[in-house]
Amino acid sequence: MPIATINPATGETLQTFEPLGAEEIETRLERARTTFAEYRTTGFGRRAELLRRAADLLEKDQEDIARTMTTEMGKPITAARAEAAKCVKAMRWYAEHAEALLADEHPSPADVEDSGGTVAYVRYRPLGPVLAVMPWNFPLWQVIRFAAPALMAGNVGLLKHASNVPRTALYLEDLFRRAGYPEGCFQTLLIGSGAVEGVLRDPRVAAATLTGSEPAGRSVASIAGDEIKKTVLELGGSDPYLVLPSADVTRAAEVAVTARTQNNGQSCIAAKRFIVHREVYDEFTRLFVDGMKALRVGDPMDDSTDVGPLSSERGRADLEELVEDARDRGATVLCGGRRPAKHPAGWFYEPTVLADITPGMRIHREETFGPVATVYRVADLDQAIEVANDTSFGLSSNVWTRDREEQERCVRDLQAGGVYLNGMTASHPAMPFGGVKRSGYGRELSGHGIREFCNVTTVWYGTPPDVPVTE
């Protein structure tokens, strides 16, 4: 796959980039190793100073980097600006909280009095260079939510970004350089997917994190497992959106439109399967379809656009195949289901709602990465949970009900890394993010995320630390 900036709104190739050769990869790996040896000894105060400086620069660059993201992968410019602002927030959050999140943990003396030591505690130490294999759909946020905690923990980063967002990838390296980080603290590797294995197997790389497809996650996890290296995986999702009789149906339908079409529908945590109780099915579906029809599809650089193009021609073709398979097997197309006639150029697809979904359809089993929703009619909460869990994914979930018992039942029984009640799934720096089943393992963000790439070290003293040891 070429490393190139191709505008998905027009299909025009704007710039191509030569991938790094073996000699340059070696230089960058060695630079990461030597930089880590020094950077790991810096204090939290210095790390926070650097991260705040990077956040300030990103805030000033917001409009430029937003336009870069929109040009490279097609998200509406308003969403791109919001993504940049969210990154600034996360960077400042980690700059403020990292020291407390990684503070030494001291068990009570009574708990360790039989250990034979005089003092015992836990310290979090950095692992080393971490390889991040990142996707194109949130090209800034996905990287920052790895980089901010990793750098605050004392690690250094190596970024292998998606091949269709090279300008964003290079911007990120330049951002941390301008902020004053030592050379080698954060480096972008412009390489193809075929070069990832060699980098990951290199002994100077301590661990890896990947956000992307299930096949990519399986590949990285197997290579890292063979090398006995830690990984965190955030993979696909087919998130359920349950609407039960006590819900505010009007509000649930309004939020559902955003939940399905955020980022042009290309989000792992976008709601994709709308599972609606029969008592409110007709009302919800009518409102939801009306909301999807009202969305404005068009130029992603226009502030009034709701849905821009898909990121690639292949991505649109994959989505079309899922819709056609469902249609051929008896699904009802309530709206959309085709390329918009107004936009013959670029990789646009109409916001689409499908009903009468059956388990034999591919769209019931596979992730839809675009503005296509499926709706299911269910008889009761038991069936709603059964349908929600009838997937190999388990990233997040949304539940609309005012009934406290139903809320608690969903929190208990939904197989997902998050349960969002009467609202839309979203990531936040203070809350852990990740999934179960084939949506991956490990967590990003919050204290859980910053500790993923730390050496959790037991420190034990046979004599009090302030008493000199004599021979």
Side-chain angles (χ1 to χ4, degrees), residues 423-435:
M424 188 181 83
T425 295
S427 54
H428 187 281
M431 299 297 291
F433 182 86

Side-chain angles (χ1 to χ4, degrees), residues 243-247 249 276-285:
V243 184
L244 301 170
S246 66
V249 176
V276 188
H277 194 284
R278 61 187 176 188
E279 291 183 16
V280 293
Y281 178 90
D282 289 342
E283 180 186 5
F284 172 84
T285 302

Side-chain angles (χ1 to χ4, degrees), residues 400-456:
W400 288 77
T401 175
R402 294 187 177 101
D403 186 299
R404 182 62 177 167
E405 290 186 7
E406 289 180 341
Q407 292 172 352
E408 287 301 317
R409 171 82 186 283
C410 290
V411 170
R412 185 191 73 185
D413 291 345
L414 287 175
Q415 298 167 1
V419 180
Y420 285 72
L421 299 161
N422 299 320
M424 188 181 83
T425 295
S427 54
H428 187 281
M431 299 297 291
F433 182 86
V436 295
K437 301 198 287 187
R438 293 195 175 184
S439 287
Y441 52 75
R443 291 296 180 265
E444 298 176 290
L445 303 175
S446 77
H448 297 277
I450 197 172
R451 298 184 195 108
E452 287 282 8
F453 296 116
C454 286
N455 175 358
V456 185

Side-chain angles (χ1 to χ4, degrees), residues 297-418:
V297 179
D299 180 1
M301 288 293 185
D302 187 334
D303 281 5
S304 65
T305 292
D306 299 307
V307 179
L310 298 185
S311 69
S312 68
E313 190 172 16
R314 179 69 257 175
R316 183 175 64 178
D318 289 344
L319 194 67
E320 288 175 323
E321 289 173 9
L322 288 177
V323 172
E324 289 310 307
D325 174 81
R327 194 198 312 258
D328 291 345
R329 294 174 185 272
T332 301
V333 180
L334 301 181
C335 69
R338 59 183 182 271
R339 302 179 183 185
K342 290 183 179 180
H343 302 286
W347 302 312
F348 294 88
Y349 196 77
E350 289 186 348
T352 299
V353 180
L354 304 177
D356 303 314
I357 305 300
T358 60
M361 299 173 185
R362 287 179 55 200
I363 205 164
H364 178 75
R365 304 185 307 274
E366 300 178 28
E367 181 179 22
T368 51
F369 225 57
V372 174
T374 54
V375 291
Y376 297 76
R377 185 196 304 262
V378 294
D380 52 30
L381 178 58
D382 287 341
Q383 188 182 11
I385 292 174
E386 180 182 358
V387 173
N389 290 338
D390 186 24
T391 174
S392 62
F393 299 109
L395 194 53
S396 191
S397 61
N398 309 259
V399 179
W400 288 77
T401 175
R402 294 187 177 101
D403 186 299
R404 182 62 177 167
E405 290 186 7
E406 289 180 341
Q407 292 172 352
E408 287 301 317
R409 171 82 186 283
C410 290
V411 170
R412 185 191 73 185
D413 291 345
L414 287 175
Q415 298 167 1

Side-chain angles (χ1 to χ4, degrees), residues 124-411:
Y124 293 95
R125 297 187 292 159
L127 286 180
V130 179
L131 173 65
V133 182
M134 293 287 107
W136 47 262
N137 57 333
F138 292 94
L140 202 66
W141 170 241
Q142 299 280 12
V143 178
I144 291 299
R145 76 185 193 189
F146 141 74
L151 291 168
M152 283 304 301
N155 296 300
V156 302
L158 294 164
L159 170 64
K160 190 286 182 217
H161 218 324
S163 294
N164 61 331
V165 289
R167 289 179 178 177
T168 305
L170 292 170
Y171 167 81
L172 283 156
E173 179 178 84
D174 186 60
L175 172 69
F176 289 111
R177 179 192 59 77
R178 287 187 289 135
Y181 278 89
E183 187 180 15
C185 259
F186 186 94
Q187 300 178 85
T188 287
L189 304 179
L190 285 187
I191 57 176
S193 58
V196 170
E197 180 172 355
V199 173
L200 183 51
R201 289 192 183 277
D202 192 284
R204 289 165 292 194
V205 174
T209 179
L210 176 140
T211 299
S213 68
E214 185 181 335
R218 187 181 294 112
S219 175
V220 165
S222 63
I223 295 166
D226 190 49
E227 297 291 340
I228 323 291
K229 293 181 180 181
K230 173 72 179 287
T231 53
V232 169
L233 303 181
E234 192 264 278
L235 307 178
S238 189
D239 290 5
Y241 190 101
L242 280 61
V243 184
L244 301 170
S246 66
D248 179 340
V249 176
T250 300
R251 179 62 179 158
E254 178 185 352
V255 173
V257 173
T258 303
R260 176 64 286 241
T261 61
Q262 60 175 315
N263 206 48
N264 302 339
Q266 300 167 123
S267 171
C268 296
I269 58 168
K272 300 184 176 80
R273 296 176 298 131
F274 296 82
I275 302 165
V276 188
H277 194 284
R278 61 187 176 188
E279 291 183 16
V280 293
Y281 178 90
D282 289 342
E283 180 186 5
F284 172 84
T285 302
R286 174 179 56 80
L287 293 170
F288 182 42
V289 170
D290 287 347
M292 293 285 276
K293 287 180 176 178
L295 293 171
R296 179 171 178 176
V297 179
D299 180 1
M301 288 293 185
D302 187 334
D303 281 5
S304 65
T305 292
D306 299 307
V307 179
L310 298 185
S311 69
S312 68
E313 190 172 16
R314 179 69 257 175
R316 183 175 64 178
D318 289 344
L319 194 67
E320 288 175 323
E321 289 173 9
L322 288 177
V323 172
E324 289 310 307
D325 174 81
R327 194 198 312 258
D328 291 345
R329 294 174 185 272
T332 301
V333 180
L334 301 181
C335 69
R338 59 183 182 271
R339 302 179 183 185
K342 290 183 179 180
H343 302 286
W347 302 312
F348 294 88
Y349 196 77
E350 289 186 348
T352 299
V353 180
L354 304 177
D356 303 314
I357 305 300
T358 60
M361 299 173 185
R362 287 179 55 200
I363 205 164
H364 178 75
R365 304 185 307 274
E366 300 178 28
E367 181 179 22
T368 51
F369 225 57
V372 174
T374 54
V375 291
Y376 297 76
R377 185 196 304 262
V378 294
D380 52 30
L381 178 58
D382 287 341
Q383 188 182 11
I385 292 174
E386 180 182 358
V387 173
N389 290 338
D390 186 24
T391 174
S392 62
F393 299 109
L395 194 53
S396 191
S397 61
N398 309 259
V399 179
W400 288 77
T401 175
R402 294 187 177 101
D403 186 299
R404 182 62 177 167
E405 290 186 7
E406 289 180 341
Q407 292 172 352
E408 287 301 317
R409 171 82 186 283
C410 290
V411 170

Side-chain angles (χ1 to χ4, degrees), residues 107-115:
S108 70
D111 287 338
V112 294
E113 63 183 358
D114 61 347
S115 71

